[in-house]
Amino acid sequence: KKYINYAWIGGCRNYIKEHQLDVCLHVFHSYASFSMDEKYNVYGSLNYVLTNNIEAPAGSQWTKGIGSESKPFNGTFDGQGYCIIGLKINNSKYASLFENIGENGCVKQLLVIESSCSGNPEISGGIAAVNNGTIDHCLSGINMDENSEYNSIISGQECGGVVGENNGKIIGSRNAAIVTGNQCGGIASVNTGSIYACANNAIIGDAGTEIAGGLAGKNSGSIVDSYNSGAITGSSEKNNGFNCRS
């Protein structure tokens, strides 16, 4: 088991700096960001395994997530319990590590912490902007205290701690990232799929938020065996996740 605390994150960073053979984020990006590549038919449905914690280089920006609406990620990405740290996302439409997970795609056992979104993207999420596949046992953010430098902050017009829009399955995943924007959900901003055995433990919404939910901002799908313990703030339309408005 990996216990996430200040010492653990510091240890991750030291390990990354000391071991030259670790995977760099930009190297992974060059292989896995196939959505604008003619080799999508090759890379788009392959299986990827994370073998170390990786940290985004200082000053770098993540401007193009993995997958797209026309070329979604339909492979499997197994994080094996490792972390991606310090992702600075800058995309005006889809702001996330994964832009679009396809119906056959699966992202599992991945931790994404200390990430943030620039500007006011249309759809943002801690793991994916849009999920049509499966997100299984993933963690977004690290909720040490409200002002911690290690907190993830997911912001945008439609923003979710794990995904912006969920049309697929989210299983056994947790959000600890602060989520702020027009329409916010601890797990998903919009859920038309299924959310099972998930939890939100972070603050959802701010003074400008219109719709906020502990698990989903708007829900017309299924939410089962899940809970919210985070504060829902600043919105005119609030819910705690179990009885979400559709």
Side-chain angles (χ1 to χ4, degrees):
K1 294 182 179 179
K2 297 177 176 64
Y3 294 93
I4 302 174
N5 52 36
Y6 288 105
W8 183 83
I9 294 175
C12 288
R13 285 178 164 160
N14 290 334
Y15 186 88
I16 288 165
K17 292 176 182 177
E18 291 171 3
H19 292 73
Q20 298 300 315
L21 296 179
D22 275 6
V23 177
C24 293
L25 188 60
H26 68 83
V27 173
F28 166 73
H29 192 211
S30 68
Y31 283 96
S33 183
F34 46 72
S35 58
M36 297 179 67
D37 196 295
E38 68 276 7
K39 295 182 179 180
Y40 167 76
N41 290 335
V42 176
Y43 296 117
S45 58
L46 291 182
N47 298 328
Y48 299 85
V49 177
L50 196 60
T51 58
N52 280 310
N53 301 300
I54 56 178
E55 183 175 16
S60 65
Q61 291 189 329
W62 188 259
T63 59
K64 182 70 184 73
I66 301 165
S68 69
E69 186 174 357
S70 61
K71 297 178 179 179
F73 177 72
N74 274 312
T76 297
F77 184 92
D78 186 353
Q80 295 196 117
Y82 290 106
C83 275
I84 293 177
I85 306 169
L87 206 63
K88 308 304 178 188
I89 305 165
N90 188 357
N91 186 309
S92 62
K93 188 169 184 180
Y94 298 114
S96 190
L97 174 64
F98 288 83
E99 281 194 14
N100 193 302
I101 300 172
E103 292 182 0
N104 296 318
C106 177
V107 178
K108 62 182 181 179
Q109 300 186 76
L110 176 65
L111 292 74
V112 179
I113 63 175
E114 199 186 334
S115 63
S116 62
C117 304
S118 299
N120 188 30
E122 292 181 22
I123 304 173
S124 58
I127 304 294
V130 178
N131 174 48
N132 295 304
T134 302
I135 295 177
D136 185 5
H137 285 83
C138 291
L139 170 68
S140 170
I142 179 167
N143 193 2
M144 291 178 173
D145 60 69
E146 185 175 352
N147 298 312
S148 170
E149 64 177 298
Y150 298 122
N151 272 347
S152 291
I153 301 177
I154 309 301
S155 59
Q157 297 173 45
E158 288 187 5
C159 46
V162 177
V163 303
E165 294 184 2
N166 179 50
N167 308 305
K169 300 177 183 178
I170 305 176
I171 304 166
S173 297
R174 183 168 74 91
N175 175 59
I178 296 170
V179 182
T180 64
N182 182 62
Q183 180 176 301
C184 305
I187 302 300
S189 175
V190 177
N191 177 52
T192 64
S194 65
I195 295 172
Y196 175 75
C198 293
N200 172 67
N201 309 121
I203 297 170
I204 306 299
D206 59 16
T209 299
E210 295 182 4
I211 299 173
L215 295 173
K218 288 188 175 182
N219 176 55
S220 58
S222 170
I223 301 177
V224 177
D225 291 344
S226 301
Y227 74 91
N228 169 59
S229 63
I232 313 300
T233 65
S235 69
S236 57
E237 185 175 349
K238 297 191 245 184
N239 64 75
N240 286 324
F242 288 110
N243 298 308
C244 296
R245 292 176 176 86
S246 59

